[in-house]
Amino acid sequence: AYVLLHSIPRVIDSSSTVPDLLSIFHEQEMTETVHETNGHGYLGTFVGKNGWLAILRVHSHGLVTVDLQCYEEDDFAQVDNLLNALESKLKVILNGNITRIKRLPALVRGAEVDRYWPTTDNRLVEYDMDQLVYEEDSAFQNIKILHSQQYGNALILDNDLNLAESDLAYTLAIMGSGRENYTGKEVLILGGGDGGILSEMVKQKPKMVTIVHIDQKVIDACKKYMRGTCGNILDNLKGDCYQILVEDCVPVLKKYVQEGKTFDYVINDLTAIPISMEPEEDSTWEFLRLILDLSIKVLHPSGKYLTQGNAENMTESLGLYEEQLGRLSCPVGFSKEVVCVPSYLEQWVFYSVWKK
Amino acid sequence: AYVLLHSIPRVIDSSSTVPDLLSIFHEQEMTETVHETNGHGYLGTFVGKNGWLAILRVHSHGLVTVDLQCYEEDDFAQVDNLLNALESKLKVILNGNITRIKRLPALVRGAEVDRYWPTTDNRLVEYDMDQLVYEEDSAFQNIKILHSQQYGNALILDNDLNLAESDLAYTLAIMGSGRENYTGKEVLILGGGDGGILSEMVKQKPKMVTIVHIDQKVIDACKKYMRGTCGNILDNLKGDCYQILVEDCVPVLKKYVQEGKTFDYVINDLTAIPISMEPEEDSTWEFLRLILDLSIKVLHPSGKYLTQGNAENMTESLGLYEEQLGRLSCPVGFSKEVVCVPSYLEQWVFYSVWKK
């Protein structure tokens, strides 16, 4: 466990600050080492008999940081006492000169269940995952299902959080947020192996929904552990108004193009990073454009192509994606919408695309 | 900036692991100190001429952790190179014995804009705040408005994130998620100084909405910087169908009780932690029950009391709150709903309460 503490005093003089703080470490019988920093302020490390490590830095520009490393099984009241003592002493020493003081929650490392799943724009966020429900490496990817107290089970593919049982908002958004009517329609879903879209769509009595999903193991895992998302729809790969093809979508799309088959809706629910790369695709963007182009080709002239884009903060990626839309073999128009998907901890952009 | 790296090998022997890793630090001309840990594995600290500090721990139970402290203005490619080198070397040394390897985003300390606003259940989450828009200490609390790229401006009272401009979901939830009709109704709002509820409610043409908010400075700050929430409704403290009383709500509620005045709806939008404590309230819970009791007293027999509860994960607090509902001077029924408020990064519980 890690505990971090920092304060930003307006004025600081390490020669008067440090000795007073040292006494606190000495009381804990921690052994001090002062490090030579070549003019980068005071840096002391303190090691306790219990294996604790405290790092005290007094930076010349006024930042004081304290890190404390201890063990999960240690007495946390003792940890808090040490940090409280340091905080109080700092307040006394820097009386009136502290602009901010902040203690961060402990960072846990080496826990059985990993709780850190950074956002797409690489912010550190800690989840409330408490159990590894399932893990397997398929031929295509690493599949994990973790349980979260507030989000239910969450599907994680190659360490990328795909969807949690709480995330009906994702499913509704990629279906067009209630603006589309699927009754009697022909729909093609790329990816979508969690069954969320299918489960919602069959309620509207479509003519036929075809899902093309490459990874049987994802379907099996979701059928068993993501029932809050898929209900019982994955129990059968075929139903009155749907079929699930366990195949790579690229050859399937090519076959549809060749046959001249079209769909009223194509929903691209593939993971952001392609897991199957044909030789002709030399980059993620090439793959993405291939899928887009084939999808538009099998789209009925009055149909809609619906897809998830990226995190709202990934403005550059979103811009590049919209550039791709301008480079398709057929001119298209598009609209986008920002939606809050509960387990994502970042706003997400969804696209609707149509033929001009 | 902090960069953390850890791996969990199944088997570890520090005498064979450490020397190979050391060469990487030596190449960076970092000075090594080996610390005595009393049987708690290998602990080495490495200080560079540039003020960098690396901490390498090889725990006997198999966890290897690397921390790197550097400066915001440092060359991050150089930081990445060092971490990449360590990661590659670790993979070679522990060939086939690594169960997990993970590098966390850097923790930034001492930045001008604080990006860490832990959740109610004390999880570490990093926001995308990029600007301190406003800060002032009122007679009641510290008021901050921070700008977030994806959430717009966010109101932070006493370091507790209250509401961001993205959070219409909060406003709709505390208004009963569309199940209530405010047309022609008498409504009392406690708190609500951000103007979100009022701004939505006037659209439904209520008879009269009375807001009782204690802190003029919050209203002024929101009027100026939270227009995505309040629109122009706070530009005037009085309108055709509303009035904003800048007062402590407790005496106002008591006056209403005395006068026998009732409301069709009482919406409690006060902050979770009371900022005004009368002598008769010796704890947060006492205050909470006082407000609840007075609110129910001014509630029309067929009226509804609507309020936000707490984070879904705060099961104990939610349980205690529901216990309070059972201890009111008048028996009540209640229902609750879990809602995703975009900027909260945790699921939130809202209550509807009515007289039995």
Side-chain angles (χ1 to χ4, degrees):
Chain A
Y2 276 61
V3 180
L4 309 154
L5 178 78
H6 64 265
S7 72
I8 313 173
R10 285 177 234 271
V11 178
I12 195 122
D13 171 12
S14 71
S15 65
S16 67
T17 315
V18 171
D20 281 343
L21 290 175
L22 293 188
S23 62
I24 293 170
F25 294 112
H26 294 154
E27 277 161 30
Q28 302 281 327
E29 294 182 60
M30 296 177 93
T31 308
E32 180 191 11
T33 308
V34 179
H35 301 264
E36 171 55 47
T37 64
N38 277 58
H40 289 83
Y42 168 87
L43 165 56
T45 52
F46 303 83
V47 180
K49 292 203 173 82
N50 46 10
W52 287 16
L53 167 66
I55 303 148
L56 172 64
R57 296 193 85 155
V58 182
H59 297 274
S60 37
H61 58 279
L63 175 69
V64 178
T65 61
V66 176
D67 294 35
L68 184 61
Q69 293 188 2
C70 58
Y71 296 91
E72 190 89 69
E73 61 272 19
D74 288 338
D75 179 3
F76 269 63
Q78 210 188 328
V79 176
D80 275 340
N81 284 345
L82 175 55
L83 291 170
N84 290 342
L86 286 166
E87 195 172 322
S88 308
K89 187 76 91 172
L90 254 181
K91 280 180 181 162
V92 171
I93 300 168
L94 303 168
N95 178 33
N97 277 317
I98 296 179
T99 53
R100 195 198 309 161
I101 192 154
K102 183 122 178 180
R103 204 186 292 185
L104 293 178
L107 263 176
V108 181
R109 304 200 281 181
E112 209 162 307
V113 181
D114 190 352
R115 292 161 64 96
Y116 303 96
W117 302 99
T119 59
T120 312
D121 59 341
N122 206 34
R123 285 176 292 111
L124 180 61
V125 288
E126 179 184 354
Y127 280 83
D128 62 346
M129 312 297 195
D130 54 10
Q131 203 197 329
L132 175 64
V133 173
Y134 169 91
E135 179 164 17
E136 199 167 337
D137 287 309
S138 75
F140 306 101
Q141 55 204 331
N142 171 269
I143 308 166
K144 272 194 276 285
I145 293 181
L146 294 185
H147 178 263
S148 145
Q149 199 184 326
Q150 61 191 320
Y151 303 124
N153 285 339
L155 174 66
I156 295 174
L157 299 178
D158 279 345
N159 291 320
D160 182 46
L161 199 157
N162 266 246
L163 197 82
E165 288 183 297
S166 57
D167 298 343
L168 180 61
Y170 175 95
T171 300
L172 298 179
I174 204 170
M175 286 174 67
S177 292
R179 289 181 303 268
E180 310 301 332
N181 178 2
Y182 294 96
T183 308
K185 300 290 166 63
E186 283 259 16
V187 183
L188 177 65
I189 300 174
L190 311 177
D194 54 60
I197 302 172
L198 182 60
S199 166
E200 283 304 309
M201 199 172 282
V202 295
K203 296 178 187 169
Q204 294 192 30
K205 309 223 176 295
K207 185 175 169 200
M208 177 51 73
V209 182
T210 302
I211 294 197
V212 189
H213 188 91
I214 201 168
D215 198 339
Q216 179 75 54
K217 283 197 194 301
V218 169
I219 297 172
D220 291 343
C222 293
K223 175 169 73 179
K224 193 157 178 190
Y225 301 112
M226 297 280 294
R227 293 187 83 85
T229 296
C230 63
N232 60 8
I233 202 76
L234 296 179
D235 293 356
N236 298 295
L237 288 184
K238 229 173 143 62
D240 276 354
C241 63
Y242 74 90
Q243 56 174 340
I244 300 173
L245 311 178
V246 184
E247 288 182 54
D248 182 351
C249 69
V250 175
V252 175
L253 278 165
K254 286 180 174 168
K255 193 192 69 177
Y256 287 152
V257 171
Q258 221 164 15
E259 294 171 359
K261 178 156 181 60
T262 61
F263 295 87
D264 299 304
Y265 289 98
V266 177
I267 300 186
N268 179 347
D269 189 28
L270 295 169
T271 49
I273 298 121
I275 53 170
S276 138
M277 299 271 266
E278 300 284 309
E280 63 205 273
E281 303 113 34
D282 60 352
S283 77
T284 302
W285 283 109
E286 283 293 313
F287 177 80
L288 201 144
R289 194 158 72 223
L290 174 71
I291 296 285
L292 243 172
D293 216 38
L294 289 169
S295 298
I296 296 295
K297 277 180 181 153
V298 300
L299 192 65
H300 189 272
S302 65
K304 274 219 179 119
Y305 173 78
L306 304 171
T307 189
Q308 53 109 354
N310 210 320
E312 188 186 8
N313 274 356
M314 300 301 282
T315 44
E316 206 185 333
S317 298
L318 291 167
L320 284 169
Y321 181 74
E322 291 168 24
E323 243 177 61
Q324 302 297 324
L325 290 176
R327 287 187 196 165
L328 297 177
S329 54
C330 160
V332 298
F334 70 89
S335 66
K336 57 183 164 179
E337 184 186 20
V338 177
V339 171
C340 179
V341 178
S343 82
Y344 281 18
L345 308 190
E346 61 188 330
Q347 300 288 79
W348 209 258
V349 179
F350 292 82
Y351 287 95
S352 293
V353 180
W354 57 87
K355 290 182 177 181
K356 271 187 184 163
Chain B
Y2 276 60
V3 180
L4 309 153
L5 178 78
H6 64 266
S7 73
I8 314 172
R10 284 178 235 269
V11 178
I12 196 124
D13 171 11
S14 72
S15 66
S16 66
T17 315
V18 171
D20 281 342
L21 290 175
L22 293 187
S23 61
I24 293 170
F25 294 111
H26 293 154
E27 278 162 29
Q28 302 281 328
E29 295 181 61
M30 297 177 91
T31 308
E32 180 190 11
T33 308
V34 179
H35 301 264
E36 171 55 48
T37 65
N38 278 57
H40 289 83
Y42 167 87
L43 165 56
T45 52
F46 303 83
V47 181
K49 292 202 173 84
N50 46 9
W52 286 17
L53 168 66
I55 303 148
L56 172 64
R57 297 193 83 154
V58 182
H59 296 273
S60 37
H61 58 280
L63 176 68
V64 178
T65 60
V66 176
D67 293 35
L68 184 62
Q69 294 188 0
C70 57
Y71 295 90
E72 190 89 67
E73 61 273 18
D74 288 339
D75 179 3
F76 269 62
Q78 209 187 330
V79 176
D80 275 341
N81 284 344
L82 175 56
L83 292 170
N84 290 342
L86 286 166
E87 196 173 321
S88 306
K89 187 76 91 174
L90 254 181
K91 281 180 180 163
V92 171
I93 300 168
L94 303 167
N95 178 31
N97 276 317
I98 296 180
T99 53
R100 194 198 311 162
I101 192 155
K102 183 124 178 178
R103 203 186 292 185
L104 294 177
L107 262 177
V108 181
R109 304 200 281 182
E112 209 162 306
V113 181
D114 191 350
R115 292 160 64 97
Y116 303 96
W117 302 99
T119 58
T120 313
D121 59 341
N122 206 34
R123 286 176 290 110
L124 180 59
V125 288
E126 179 185 354
Y127 280 83
D128 60 347
M129 312 296 194
D130 54 11
Q131 202 197 330
L132 176 64
V133 173
Y134 168 92
E135 179 164 17
E136 198 167 337
D137 287 309
S138 74
F140 306 101
Q141 55 203 330
N142 171 267
I143 309 166
K144 273 193 276 286
I145 292 181
L146 294 184
H147 178 263
S148 144
Q149 198 185 326
Q150 60 190 321
Y151 302 124
N153 285 338
L155 174 66
I156 295 175
L157 299 178
D158 280 345
N159 291 320
D160 182 46
L161 199 157
N162 267 246
L163 197 81
E165 289 183 296
S166 58
D167 298 343
L168 180 61
Y170 176 95
T171 301
L172 298 180
I174 203 169
M175 286 173 67
S177 294
R179 289 181 302 269
E180 309 301 333
N181 177 3
Y182 294 97
T183 308
K185 299 290 166 62
E186 282 259 16
V187 183
L188 177 64
I189 300 174
L190 310 177
D194 54 61
I197 302 172
L198 182 60
S199 165
E200 283 304 308
M201 199 171 281
V202 295
K203 296 178 187 169
Q204 294 191 30
K205 308 223 175 296
K207 185 175 168 199
M208 177 51 75
V209 182
T210 302
I211 293 198
V212 189
H213 188 91
I214 201 168
D215 198 340
Q216 178 75 54
K217 282 197 194 299
V218 169
I219 297 172
D220 291 343
C222 291
K223 175 169 73 179
K224 193 156 177 191
Y225 300 112
M226 297 281 293
R227 293 187 83 85
T229 296
C230 61
N232 60 8
I233 201 76
L234 295 179
D235 293 356
N236 297 296
L237 288 184
K238 229 172 143 61
D240 276 355
C241 63
Y242 74 91
Q243 56 174 338
I244 301 173
L245 310 178
V246 184
E247 287 181 57
D248 182 351
C249 70
V250 176
V252 174
L253 278 166
K254 286 179 173 168
K255 193 192 70 178
Y256 287 151
V257 171
Q258 223 163 13
E259 293 171 0
K261 178 155 182 60
T262 60
F263 296 86
D264 300 303
Y265 289 98
V266 177
I267 300 186
N268 180 347
D269 189 29
L270 296 169
T271 49
I273 298 121
I275 53 171
S276 139
M277 299 271 266
E278 299 283 310
E280 64 204 271
E281 302 114 33
D282 61 351
S283 78
T284 302
W285 283 109
E286 284 293 313
F287 177 81
L288 200 144
R289 194 158 74 224
L290 174 71
I291 296 285
L292 243 172
D293 216 38
L294 289 168
S295 298
I296 297 296
K297 277 180 180 153
V298 300
L299 192 65
H300 189 272
S302 65
K304 275 222 179 117
Y305 173 77
L306 304 170
T307 189
Q308 53 109 354
N310 210 320
E312 188 186 8
N313 274 355
M314 300 300 283
T315 44
E316 206 185 332
S317 298
L318 291 166
L320 284 169
Y321 180 74
E322 290 167 25
E323 243 177 60
Q324 302 298 325
L325 290 175
R327 286 186 197 165
L328 298 176
S329 54
C330 160
V332 299
F334 70 89
S335 67
K336 58 183 163 179
E337 183 187 19
V338 177
V339 171
C340 178
V341 178
S343 82
Y344 282 17
L345 308 190
E346 61 188 331
Q347 300 287 79
W348 209 257
V349 178
F350 292 82
Y351 287 96
S352 294
V353 180
W354 57 86
K355 290 182 177 181
K356 270 187 185 163

